[in-house]
Amino acid sequence: MQGKAKVLPAGSGQNLRIFEEMEKSHTSRFWFLAVILVIPLVYSTETIDPAFTLRGILLAALTIVTIIATRKQPLRLSPILYIWCTYAAFNIISIFVAVNSGEAIYQASIVLLYGGWLFASMQIMTKEFRPLILRTIAILGFITSFISLFQFFDIGFTFIPSWGIPGGTMTTKNLMSSFLFLTLPATLYITIIEKKAWGIFGLLTLTMSVFVVLISQTRAVWVGSSVAGFVAVVFFVLSQRRSNLWKAFKSQIRNSAIVIAVCVIAIFVFNVAPRPGMNEATPTGRAGSIANYSSDASAQARMNVWKKSMKMFDGHPVFGVGPGNWKIALPGYGLGIFLPTIQDGSVQWTEAHNDFIQRLCESGAGGGLAFLAFFLYGIMLSIRSCWNKGNNPQEAILSILIGASICGFAVISFFDFPNARVEHSMLFMIWLSLIPFTKKRGHRENREFALPSYAAIVLTLPALLLTIEHFTAEHHEKDILEARISQDWEPVIVLCNSLYNHEFMTVDQLSTPILYYKAEAEFMQGNYDVALKDNLAALKDHPNHFFTLNNIATNYVKLGNFQASEVFYRRALAISPNFEESLLNLAAVYFNQKQYDSAYDCVRKCDTTQDGGRAKQIARALWGHH
């Protein structure tokens, strides 16, 4: 008897495909969380900036992989993406007015990367995935706090490169504090919402994070945290579910407030974390300096930079000076009002310490306003979500925390440059993608609408490729600097030739022209004509690099063109009036031409008290003829 064929239930093939897609989704989410956890912790001791390029490569790779993994699912879009596209468009347009187009292209690609990452985060973020991402960010807060505490008390992790302790893995304590601030919404959410083990973990992480933020003495984060706390209270009071939220989470909210209060009292009243041998001001003294901001040396330097930056904007209000070109343009507005370490080039300003002003300078009024609108619209969405009766208590709490953190982050961004760091931008974009929406976002099942995903991948690729190139370049630059110290000039020339790319790679991380190093090596070998040619090329890459101007003038001295040398020495001094090397070189030119009065005018601006110093030697020779 012939058996009957079994008929599969209707829709079983579709169910199988759904199951397979779910399996792929779980895998992509696992790697998404794993890489997020890794990015803020990795660094390289072989690059000038230990963190940026390596983390940029990982974020670009994660962005592309995430978009590929989610390309077949319904699109999740937000007007925030359109605002970011506007900001990116202004950055791309500004490339064409930039003095250094290579830096402009690279920084514009980073802007596109952050936009691609925001798109990718929105595509992968669902209500089911939300608790996992929040727990992952809370774990990041715990790890960062743990490392920072060990560094502060000299217990361990001091091998991690950092300019200022505790710096965690963020290279400075300011950036470490602002990163911890960005993890606090997740930590507070876990503390308030989660039960049992995760709730205890959240409370422990909150205690450590607040303690570390306080002992780091980062005033921008203190002010930002205070603003965020005030905004959180206001949002809570205005919430449509205020009474329900208080009933549901009263004990957790109270415990969180107690922890924060205890940390504040411990630091500011009892000073339970003094560090022997530390020359830092006391926490109370640092807090007091906020009210006297204009009298603080660090604050005064910032305000001087902002004044110069606004002059820069006044001269380029429409398109700006180009992405990444703020650091190129700044010296052209004069360094005479800055500290001696800046005037002699020991310290170089590469960031304006105000993300809003820097974006205004680099991409013009349109780009600056679009960047500001990015924050304002995020706050507006959070407020709308807080007022929405349809959101459950967990979503209301999340909206309050995200809205408060955006306000606090805006304050921090006004006094620092967290938006320029990969790990900070990564978390900030995640918070924007986590805002609970009050309206359904457009969902489209048709694969024809995978086009935005492919476009996002294409826009992210330049950042991946250029960041890899910069990562490699910084490795070579370390070798260049080591060869300079040992005065091994031939390897410097070879490395510069392999590193220099006229279109994309012309200056290093500290905005020093690559050809400056090559020209210096050629000069030391006695090849003055070749050195002059490369120095002039370096000047095109960075017209305001006063070291290059000084070296060009010295080149002309060696070639016997004293008139040209005087012109370039004076150009260097127009940028940095107290740059002693140019002052003494110009004095020597005047002395050899028997223009003793002019030579004396140069020397009297230098320190002639150091025995054996060049300034004292020239001064003695002058006084014999004056």
Side-chain angles (χ1 to χ4, degrees):
M1 185 175 181
Q2 189 175 4
K4 293 183 179 179
K6 293 183 179 181
V7 180
L8 291 174
S12 61
Q14 183 180 358
N15 292 335
L16 181 60
R17 285 194 299 272
I18 293 173
F19 179 76
E20 290 174 349
E21 289 297 327
M22 288 175 62
E23 286 294 316
K24 291 179 181 178
S25 176
H26 287 313
T27 303
S28 63
R29 287 176 178 179
F30 170 79
W31 287 109
F32 184 87
L33 295 174
V35 179
I36 282 178
L37 199 59
V38 167
I39 286 175
L41 304 178
V42 298
Y43 62 90
S44 171
T45 58
E46 298 301 318
T47 53
I48 303 300
D49 185 329
F52 185 83
T53 51
L54 183 56
R55 294 174 188 178
I57 292 168
L58 290 176
L59 183 64
L62 177 60
T63 299
I64 293 171
V65 170
T66 302
I67 295 173
I68 292 174
T70 58
R71 70 190 185 282
K72 295 182 181 179
Q73 71 179 33
L75 285 175
R76 297 184 177 94
L77 301 176
S78 161
I80 290 179
L81 275 172
Y82 305 135
I83 294 173
W84 191 261
C85 288
T86 303
Y87 172 60
F90 278 107
N91 274 268
I92 292 171
I93 293 170
S94 296
I95 291 174
F96 298 98
V97 300
V99 170
N100 191 307
S101 58
E103 279 297 291
I105 291 170
Y106 179 51
Q107 291 303 320
S109 75
I110 297 299
V111 171
L112 294 176
L113 166 61
Y114 293 156
W117 169 244
L118 176 60
F119 177 84
S121 299
M122 285 184 172
Q123 302 319 302
I124 201 169
M125 211 64 68
T126 61
K127 284 188 177 181
E128 297 76 24
F129 188 49
R130 190 182 296 162
L132 295 177
I133 189 70
L134 290 168
R135 289 176 180 178
T136 301
I137 295 173
I139 292 171
L140 267 176
F142 176 84
I143 294 172
T144 303
S145 301
F146 185 82
I147 292 173
S148 299
L149 283 172
F150 269 56
Q151 290 174 335
F152 184 80
F153 291 109
D154 290 323
I155 300 173
F157 299 109
T158 54
F159 57 86
I160 299 175
S162 180
W163 297 277
I165 297 295
T169 57
M170 307 302 158
T171 69
T172 71
K173 65 178 184 177
N174 289 30
L175 293 172
M176 180 276 297
S177 298
S178 54
F179 181 79
L180 261 184
F181 173 84
L182 284 171
T183 66
L184 283 175
T187 301
L188 279 164
Y189 183 87
I190 296 296
T191 305
I192 294 171
I193 302 298
E194 298 274 9
K195 305 294 184 181
K196 299 180 181 179
W198 276 106
I200 295 171
F201 173 79
L203 195 62
L204 173 63
T205 303
L206 177 64
T207 306
M208 293 170 60
S209 298
V210 172
F211 191 79
V212 169
V213 165
L214 290 173
I215 63 176
S216 68
Q217 299 188 9
T218 306
R219 290 169 297 180
V221 178
W222 286 359
V223 175
S225 299
S226 300
V227 170
F230 175 77
V231 170
V233 172
V234 171
F235 280 13
F236 184 85
V237 171
L238 296 177
S239 172
Q240 295 286 349
R241 291 176 166 267
R242 178 177 63 254
S243 58
N244 292 338
L245 292 176
W246 182 249
K247 288 179 182 178
F249 307 115
K250 177 173 65 176
S251 61
Q252 295 95 317
I253 294 173
R254 185 180 60 233
N255 292 340
S256 299
I258 290 172
V259 162
I260 294 171
V262 168
C263 288
V264 171
I265 293 170
I267 294 298
F268 288 101
V269 178
F270 297 104
N271 193 24
V272 299
R275 189 177 180 195
M278 230 180 151
N279 294 322
E280 297 277 358
T282 63
T284 305
R286 288 288 278 182
S289 69
I290 295 173
N292 300 313
Y293 195 71
S294 60
S295 63
D296 181 79
S298 174
Q300 191 63 46
R302 274 182 170 83
M303 286 190 284
N304 286 335
V305 167
W306 297 348
K307 290 176 184 176
K308 296 291 185 182
S309 298
M310 292 314 296
K311 287 184 179 180
M312 189 187 303
F313 171 69
D314 286 342
H316 305 83
V318 180
F319 300 114
V321 297
N325 274 242
W326 178 90
K327 59 187 178 183
I328 304 290
L330 178 70
Y333 293 86
L335 303 177
I337 62 174
F338 293 104
L339 296 172
T341 52
I342 297 175
Q343 293 188 52
D344 66 14
S346 301
V347 176
Q348 297 184 47
W349 284 92
T350 57
E351 302 288 344
H353 286 260
N354 185 315
D355 278 322
F356 297 100
I357 290 179
Q358 185 156 347
R359 302 300 172 261
L360 199 65
C361 290
E362 292 190 341
S363 54
L369 290 174
F371 185 74
L372 176 62
F374 196 65
F375 285 83
L376 295 178
Y377 194 79
I379 295 170
M380 188 192 76
L381 285 179
S382 299
I383 294 173
R384 186 187 296 173
S385 185
C386 291
W387 288 348
N388 181 37
K389 293 181 180 180
N391 285 344
N392 60 39
Q394 289 85 355
E395 288 184 335
I397 290 291
L398 184 60
S399 298
I400 291 170
L401 293 174
I402 291 176
S405 70
I406 294 174
C407 291
F409 191 61
V411 172
I412 294 170
S413 298
F414 189 84
F415 295 102
D416 216 332
F417 51 96
N419 286 282
R421 307 303 294 183
V422 170
E423 63 279 0
H424 292 66
S425 296
M426 179 188 77
L427 283 193
F428 184 54
M429 298 304 172
I430 288 176
W431 289 128
L432 292 173
S433 68
L434 277 169
I435 298 175
F437 278 70
T438 58
K439 297 180 180 179
K440 279 191 175 182
R441 288 173 284 193
H443 284 194
R444 292 172 176 174
E445 299 286 352
N446 197 319
R447 270 200 67 188
E448 289 178 4
F449 296 102
L451 181 61
S453 297
Y454 292 118
I457 292 172
V458 170
L459 293 176
T460 305
L461 277 174
L464 176 62
L465 299 175
L466 290 174
T467 307
I468 290 174
E469 183 176 356
H470 276 254
F471 179 74
T472 305
E474 287 191 44
H475 275 72
H476 287 314
E477 190 182 350
K478 280 259 185 173
D479 297 331
I480 290 173
L481 296 178
E482 290 174 2
R484 285 183 76 214
I485 292 172
S486 61
Q487 297 187 356
D488 193 2
W489 302 116
E490 193 57 38
V492 171
I493 296 172
V494 173
L495 286 168
C496 287
N497 285 334
S498 65
L499 187 60
Y500 183 77
N501 183 320
H502 177 69
E503 293 180 343
F504 300 114
M505 183 67 63
T506 59
V507 296
D508 65 11
Q509 184 69 20
L510 298 176
S511 71
T512 301
I514 293 171
L515 291 179
Y516 165 83
Y517 299 121
K518 182 186 178 188
E520 179 189 50
E522 291 163 342
F523 181 89
M524 297 304 294
Q525 289 180 335
N527 299 323
Y528 303 128
D529 289 323
V530 178
L532 178 60
K533 180 181 177 181
D534 282 327
N535 265 322
L536 290 171
L539 192 62
K540 291 181 180 179
D541 296 329
H542 190 335
N544 301 307
H545 192 249
F546 57 90
F547 282 100
T548 298
L549 289 165
N550 178 78
N551 286 3
I552 290 172
T554 305
N555 262 157
Y556 278 121
V557 169
K558 289 292 184 180
L559 295 172
N561 190 340
F562 298 108
Q563 186 176 2
S565 69
E566 180 183 349
V567 170
F568 280 94
Y569 282 135
R570 289 204 170 277
R571 283 181 61 181
L573 292 171
I575 293 171
S576 183
N578 298 312
F579 183 41
E580 194 163 291
E581 186 174 347
S582 287
L583 284 170
L584 294 176
N585 287 341
L586 183 57
V589 170
Y590 286 140
F591 181 84
N592 291 329
Q593 293 179 326
K594 299 182 180 182
Q595 299 179 32
Y596 301 123
D597 289 336
S598 297
Y600 177 75
D601 288 338
C602 294
V603 173
R604 67 185 179 84
K605 297 177 184 178
C606 304
D607 181 8
T608 58
T609 61
Q610 299 295 324
D611 289 333
R614 187 178 170 213
K616 193 166 187 175
Q617 293 174 359
I618 295 177
R620 283 178 176 173
L622 273 173
W623 290 331
H625 293 83
H626 199 274

